[in-house]
Amino acid sequence: MTSEAPDLSRLQPVLPSPLQPVEDERFARHGVRLVLKRDDLIHPDLPGNKWRKLAPNLRAAAGRTVLTFGGAYSNHLRATAAAGRLLGFGTIGIVRGDELADRPLNPVLAGCAADGMTLRFVDRSTYRAKGDPAVLEGLLSAYGECCVVPEGGSNALAAQGCTELGRELRGAADMVAVACGTGGTLAGLAAGLAPSQRALGVPVLRGGFLGDAVRGLQEAAFGAPAGNWSLDERFHFGGFARTTPALHAFADDFERRHGLPVERLYVAKLLYGLTELAGEGAFPSGTTVAAVVTGRPQEASDSSR
């Protein structure tokens, strides 16, 4: 096992990621210009915020086995497993739901296993308590020394990694919007933007304490709140990994209009929310809004985290 930080540059990430203007009358008729920050093009196996959040964590792991957490359709687990294969370190995925242990693996988990990730399925009460030191120690006892990365990859290192996203967008938009699961991308994005810019998070969860999570991550990463950011929780389609026919219809329509398939948990919910906000006059005429494309459709369009 190596004790040196992996050289992520040999994976040839596309950085800075491209900025793509989109002509869409749902924004244009309100005097709003939409551009897409194509973070989905950073790397085929570690796209978007997965790259930005994982990269600093992998450097800190320095070749040790990485143990992390996610649901059955976790893009975070999938990206971690792919990174392990590409860079030559071990990976362990703690998966929510012990009822899945005796079922055939879905495409996301099958991909994790094919990339060498050890999968351990735990009951939901254990998963909820994964932050408890005693529970975590019990999970770690079977695997020896590991570097633990939290669910969604969101910790202080991840927030620091996402500041570069904000820096890449300085001067490119008045407002930068991103879909939020665990809050790490928004925490770093806001810190990296110029003082005149605003970051907007569109949560994929209904309610909860995401604002507290973002503030906590910023305190851990930067020692204080950072940047101008807010959350808009009005436009949801239900629980964390839930989609509806209406959301799929919106995603299909966006692809027909612009030739861009969108991931339907995060990106489609973000774009739908921005469309509704534009219709309600939330953005003054002349505003340029940048939407961060954090992921893309993969084996399962309802992928979570």
Side-chain angles (χ1 to χ4, degrees), residues 17-22 27 32-39 165-179 185-186 189 193 197-202 254 267 270-271 273-275 277 283 286-294:
S17 60
L19 199 62
Q20 176 183 337
V22 170
F27 294 87
V32 177
R33 177 174 176 258
L34 176 67
V35 296
L36 302 179
K37 179 62 168 167
R38 295 293 306 275
D39 262 20
L165 170 61
R167 295 187 188 102
E168 290 176 19
L169 283 160
R170 288 185 177 184
D174 304 294
M175 190 195 74
V176 181
V178 64
T185 304
L186 177 61
L189 165 66
L193 291 172
Q197 294 174 293
R198 180 165 67 95
L200 174 69
V202 176
F254 195 90
V267 181
L270 170 66
L271 293 169
L274 292 178
T275 302
L277 287 170
F283 312 127
T287 299
T288 296
V289 176
V292 181
V293 183
T294 52

Side-chain angles (χ1 to χ4, degrees), residues 191-210:
L193 291 172
S196 60
Q197 294 174 293
R198 180 165 67 95
L200 174 69
V202 176
V204 297
L205 283 167
R206 183 180 293 281
F209 301 96
L210 186 56

Side-chain angles (χ1 to χ4, degrees), residues 197-289:
Q197 294 174 293
R198 180 165 67 95
L200 174 69
V202 176
V204 297
L205 283 167
R206 183 180 293 281
F209 301 96
L210 186 56
D212 291 340
V214 175
R215 284 185 284 272
L217 285 164
Q218 289 196 329
E219 288 284 348
F222 314 116
N228 179 13
W229 61 270
S230 61
L231 292 165
D232 195 302
E233 301 188 2
R234 284 177 286 173
F235 304 108
H236 287 280
F237 285 83
F240 186 80
R242 196 169 299 160
T243 62
T244 68
L247 185 65
H248 285 271
F250 174 85
D252 290 340
D253 176 66
F254 195 90
E255 181 175 358
R256 282 194 299 269
R257 290 170 184 249
H258 307 299
L260 175 67
V262 295
E263 192 274 335
R264 298 181 183 214
L265 175 61
Y266 282 100
V267 181
K269 286 185 176 183
L270 170 66
L271 293 169
Y272 175 85
L274 292 178
T275 302
E276 294 295 307
L277 287 170
E280 292 187 357
F283 312 127
S285 180
T287 299
T288 296
V289 176

Side-chain angles (χ1 to χ4, degrees), residues 2 6 46 71 78 86 108 117 197 226 233 255 259 267 294 301:
T2 179
L46 286 79
R78 188 70 188 90
L86 292 166
V108 173
M117 175 174 274
Q197 294 174 293
E233 301 188 2
E255 181 175 358
V267 181
T294 52
S301 60

